[in-house]
Amino acid sequence: MLGVATLSYSAPTTGATVTLVKNSYTVINPSGNIAALTISLPGSLSNKDYFEIKFTRTVTAITWSGQTVGNSVPTTAVAGTYLRLVYRSSNTTVY
């Protein structure tokens, strides 16, 4: 989390959407495991913009929206999962 401009916490329930802020660290902290979560990425990104995400509980199904994500971006998370995603402008994809 070195040099992170924004730190936020979210406590979603199943079926909720969490909207991320670029160049930020988000802790996804539901009260229990959840079956489904949509994570929305902002529409206006620059090369090397990033997102750091920490999951405190298991999320069975993650749907990504707002940007194209690479095949390596997970669609599930277990408690303790940490992700650092980076935007590549040359192919408009988040990895």
Side-chain angles (χ1 to χ4, degrees), residues 45-66:
L45 297 176
S46 299
N47 196 47
K48 299 181 184 176
D49 279 345
Y50 67 90
F51 307 90
E52 292 183 88
I53 309 164
K54 178 73 172 187
F55 295 87
T56 63
R57 300 287 189 146
T58 295
V59 179
T60 303
I62 300 169
T63 301
W64 298 92
S65 68

Side-chain angles (χ1 to χ4, degrees), residues 18-84:
V18 173
T19 301
L20 301 183
V21 175
K22 65 183 177 181
N23 304 321
S24 67
Y25 187 97
T26 302
V27 177
I28 296 179
N29 186 29
S31 61
N33 296 339
I34 58 177
L37 179 68
T38 297
I39 299 178
S40 178
L41 301 168
S44 178
L45 297 176
S46 299
N47 196 47
K48 299 181 184 176
D49 279 345
Y50 67 90
F51 307 90
E52 292 183 88
I53 309 164
K54 178 73 172 187
F55 295 87
T56 63
R57 300 287 189 146
T58 295
V59 179
T60 303
I62 300 169
T63 301
W64 298 92
S65 68
Q67 292 289 337
T68 300
V69 295
N71 291 338
S72 62
V73 176
T75 56
T76 64
V78 296
T81 296
Y82 167 82
L83 301 175
R84 181 174 170 99

